[in-house]
Amino acid sequence: MKKGLVLEGGGTKGAYQIGAFKALRDLGIQFTGIAGSSIGALNGAFIAQGDLEAMEDIWVNYDYKSFMNIDEDTYERYKDIEMKPKSFHDVVELMNKARKKQGIDISPLRKLLEENVDEEKIRNSSYEFGITTAYWDGKIFPINLYKEDIPKGKIVDYLIASASLPIFQLDKLDDKLYLDGMFSDNIPINMLAQKGYNDIVVIRLVDDFLGKMIINKYQDLNLKVIVPSQCLGGSLNKDKDHIKTNIKLGYLDTMKAYDRYDGVNYFFNLDCKYDEKYCFEKISNINTDTINHLCYLLHIKKDVNRRTLMENVIPKIIEVLEIDKNSSYKDIFYSIYERKLEENNINRIELYDFDKVVQICNKQMKNNKLLVTQNTSKLAKIITNLIIYDFNKQK
C-alpha cells in the first residue's frame, strides 16, 4: 500500500520535521512517497537518500554561518523573522535588497548541500520524491517536480530553488529565476494525491488558518496531520538550543498524535490507571465542602450537590483554567495537574511520569491548602489547589 509523507515549508522551523520523522520511524511507519516544499524539500531529500542522521547533524551542529553569509548583528536582527504580517516591514526591506542583488547570501547552504546530498542515492531510492518551486517570468509560474523530472546533476540546484525565500539572493537556473516552494504549494498534498496516494502523513510547521483551509480540501484522503503544539520561532533562527528544542518537540508531538503519550499541554508516559473512568470518578466525587468553596469562589448560587458540581461548577472551572470546553474528563483531570507544573515553570518539552507528578502535587497539597479568597489574580491557583487537595483526600 502506498503511504505518503508531506513536509511543509517554513525555514529553520524545519528542524521540527526531523524529530517528527524520527518518531514515525520509531513507530514503525514506512513511506513510499515524499513531497516537500522549501525546507521540507531539503529534509525530504535526506530522508529519500536514507541519511536522516546527516541532516540532524547539520541541523544541530552547524550554525547560521553554514547556511547564510551574514554578520552576527544582521543574523540577530533577522533570525526571528516570519513570512507573516507582523514581520511585514522587515520582509519588504529584505525583499527590496534581494531585488537589488543585496539579499541574504545562501552560498554556504549550497556548499553544504553539495557536500552532503547524494543525488545518485536519491534517484536510486525506492521513494517517489517530489518538490515544489516556482519561477518568475512577469508573473509566478508554480512547478511541481518529481526526481525523474529534474535534469541529471541538478537535484541540489532545484532543492535550492525550492528553498529560495524572497529575502535571499536569487540566481537564475536554466535561464529562469526560481522562487521558494511557498509560491507554488507549501503543503504539497496534491503532488502525492495525483500519484494515487490516499494515505498521507503531513508534518506541518505553522498552525495557521490558511494551512487548515488547504488541508480541508482533501477530506476524501486519509490524512494524519502533525501540528506543532507551540510556535516554532523565526524562519531564520539557527541557534543550537532552539533547534534542539524544536527537534524534541517534533518527536513528542508526533508520539502524542499517535496516542503513545498522554497529556494536554505536557507530555506523559501512558498510564492505564488514569483512564476516562478513573478521572470521571475523581471529578464527580469532589466532596460537598469543596463544592461549597468552589461555588463561593465562582459566584455560583446553587444548592451544593453533585448536579451543581457537574452542570455549573465544572464548566466554570474549565473557563477559569482556560481548558478546552470540549475536553474529556481525562483531559480536565490532566489539565488541573498540568496547571501546577505551569505554576512552577516546569519545562513542557520533556517526557514525564504522570503518576509521579500526581504524587508530588498531592504531597505538596497535603498540608498546604490555601485559604479561600476571591482575589482574581489568585483564583486559578486556589481552585487548582482546592481540587488537588480534594483528590488527595479521596479514597
Side-chain angles (χ1 to χ4, degrees):
M1 181 179 178
K2 299 173 83 172
K3 191 174 186 69
L5 176 66
V6 170
L7 302 171
E8 182 178 19
T12 54
K13 295 180 181 72
Y16 178 88
Q17 293 172 342
I18 300 302
F21 184 79
K22 288 173 70 176
L24 293 168
R25 188 176 60 182
D26 287 352
L27 291 167
I29 299 172
Q30 297 182 333
F31 299 95
T32 55
I34 305 166
S37 174
S38 193
I39 195 63
L42 271 60
N43 285 335
F46 280 90
I47 293 171
Q49 74 179 43
D51 209 356
L52 184 71
E53 285 68 26
M55 189 59 175
E56 183 174 12
D57 179 59
I58 290 170
W59 275 111
V60 174
N61 296 317
Y62 291 70
D63 65 11
Y64 71 90
K65 295 174 185 176
S66 299
F67 282 65
M68 303 167 281
N69 187 19
I70 56 175
D71 60 68
E72 186 173 357
D73 289 342
T74 303
Y75 169 71
E76 290 296 332
R77 177 180 175 183
Y78 292 120
K79 71 179 183 181
D80 293 321
I81 197 171
E82 296 190 64
M83 301 296 135
K84 291 182 176 181
K86 70 176 184 178
S87 300
F88 178 77
H89 294 295
D90 285 338
V91 172
V92 170
E93 178 184 346
L94 285 171
M95 286 178 68
N96 285 333
K97 287 183 176 181
R99 189 166 51 85
K100 299 173 184 177
K101 297 291 184 181
Q102 297 173 350
I104 294 175
D105 175 15
I106 58 169
S107 55
L109 174 61
R110 172 178 288 278
K111 182 174 183 294
L112 196 61
L113 293 179
E114 288 173 345
E115 292 172 350
N116 290 277
V117 169
D118 190 322
E119 178 165 334
E120 186 176 353
K121 280 186 178 180
I122 292 172
R123 292 191 182 278
N124 293 334
S125 76
S126 60
Y127 289 106
E128 294 186 280
F129 174 57
I131 66 173
T132 67
T133 183
Y135 70 88
W136 173 261
D137 187 8
K139 64 179 182 178
I140 292 173
F141 291 87
I143 300 178
N144 297 333
L145 298 168
Y146 273 90
K147 61 185 182 183
E148 59 268 25
D149 304 320
I150 299 173
K152 292 282 179 65
K154 293 289 185 74
I155 278 187
V156 167
D157 293 315
Y158 279 89
L159 289 174
I160 292 289
S162 181
S164 291
L165 291 169
I167 60 176
F168 295 155
Q169 288 182 16
L170 302 177
D171 297 319
K172 285 190 174 183
L173 171 61
D174 296 332
D175 294 323
K176 292 185 175 71
L177 189 64
Y178 280 87
L179 301 170
D180 192 272
M182 66 184 289
F183 292 102
S184 175
D185 186 352
N186 208 37
I187 311 174
I189 297 169
N190 195 47
M191 283 194 76
L192 294 182
Q194 290 180 339
K195 285 272 190 176
Y197 287 81
N198 56 22
D199 189 10
I200 299 172
V201 176
V202 181
I203 305 178
R204 301 216 51 208
L205 297 178
V206 182
D207 186 15
D208 64 339
F209 179 72
L210 179 60
K212 290 176 181 176
M213 287 182 59
I214 292 170
I215 288 168
N216 283 339
K217 294 192 303 183
Y218 299 99
Q219 294 185 15
D220 57 324
L221 301 179
N222 179 29
L223 297 183
K224 181 72 172 181
V225 184
I226 312 297
V227 183
S229 58
Q230 70 180 42
C231 176
L232 299 178
S235 297
L236 300 180
N237 192 333
K238 196 61 178 58
D239 293 353
K240 186 171 184 175
D241 288 344
H242 177 76
I243 293 297
K244 291 173 73 173
T245 294
N246 281 348
I247 291 174
K248 182 182 288 187
L249 183 63
Y251 189 93
L252 294 170
D253 279 344
T254 303
M255 288 302 236
K256 186 186 282 187
Y258 281 88
D259 299 319
R260 296 302 193 274
Y261 294 159
D262 264 330
V264 180
N265 293 316
Y266 282 77
F267 302 90
F268 305 104
N269 283 313
L270 289 178
D271 193 324
C272 296
K273 173 182 175 182
Y274 298 98
D275 59 11
E276 182 72 6
K277 180 181 178 183
Y278 176 93
C279 296
F280 171 77
E281 288 178 353
K282 278 288 188 180
I283 292 170
S284 62
N285 285 320
I286 290 175
N287 69 41
T288 53
D289 182 48
T290 303
I291 297 172
N292 187 45
H293 285 162
L294 290 170
C295 285
Y296 171 75
L297 284 168
L298 299 169
H299 306 288
I300 295 172
K301 297 180 180 179
K302 297 275 187 178
D303 293 337
V304 179
N305 53 40
R306 294 280 173 268
R307 182 170 181 175
T308 298
L309 171 67
M310 303 307 286
E311 294 183 0
N312 303 100
V313 176
I314 297 303
K316 192 65 178 177
I317 288 171
I318 287 173
E319 179 184 329
V320 172
L321 299 186
E322 298 179 338
I323 300 170
D324 188 332
K325 65 181 180 180
N326 297 316
S327 294
S328 64
Y329 287 105
K330 179 177 177 178
D331 288 341
I332 295 169
F333 186 84
Y334 271 75
S335 294
I336 289 167
Y337 282 96
E338 287 184 9
R339 170 69 66 159
K340 298 306 296 179
L341 297 180
E342 291 171 7
E343 288 175 9
N344 289 280
N345 297 313
I346 302 300
N347 178 22
R348 67 173 291 269
I349 308 179
E350 291 288 351
L351 181 62
Y352 298 101
D353 184 321
F354 187 67
D355 193 53
K356 288 183 180 178
V357 171
V358 170
Q359 291 175 29
I360 292 169
C361 289
N362 288 346
K363 185 176 181 180
Q364 289 180 344
M365 290 297 103
K366 189 172 183 180
N367 298 309
N368 194 32
K369 182 181 176 183
L370 295 184
L371 296 175
V372 174
T373 174
Q374 288 186 332
N375 184 326
T376 54
S377 64
K378 295 182 178 179
L379 182 59
K381 182 175 182 178
I382 294 165
I383 287 173
T384 303
N385 286 355
L386 276 170
I387 295 172
I388 292 177
Y389 184 83
D390 188 283
F391 288 164
N392 191 32
K393 287 171 61 180
Q394 292 180 31
K395 304 216 175 159

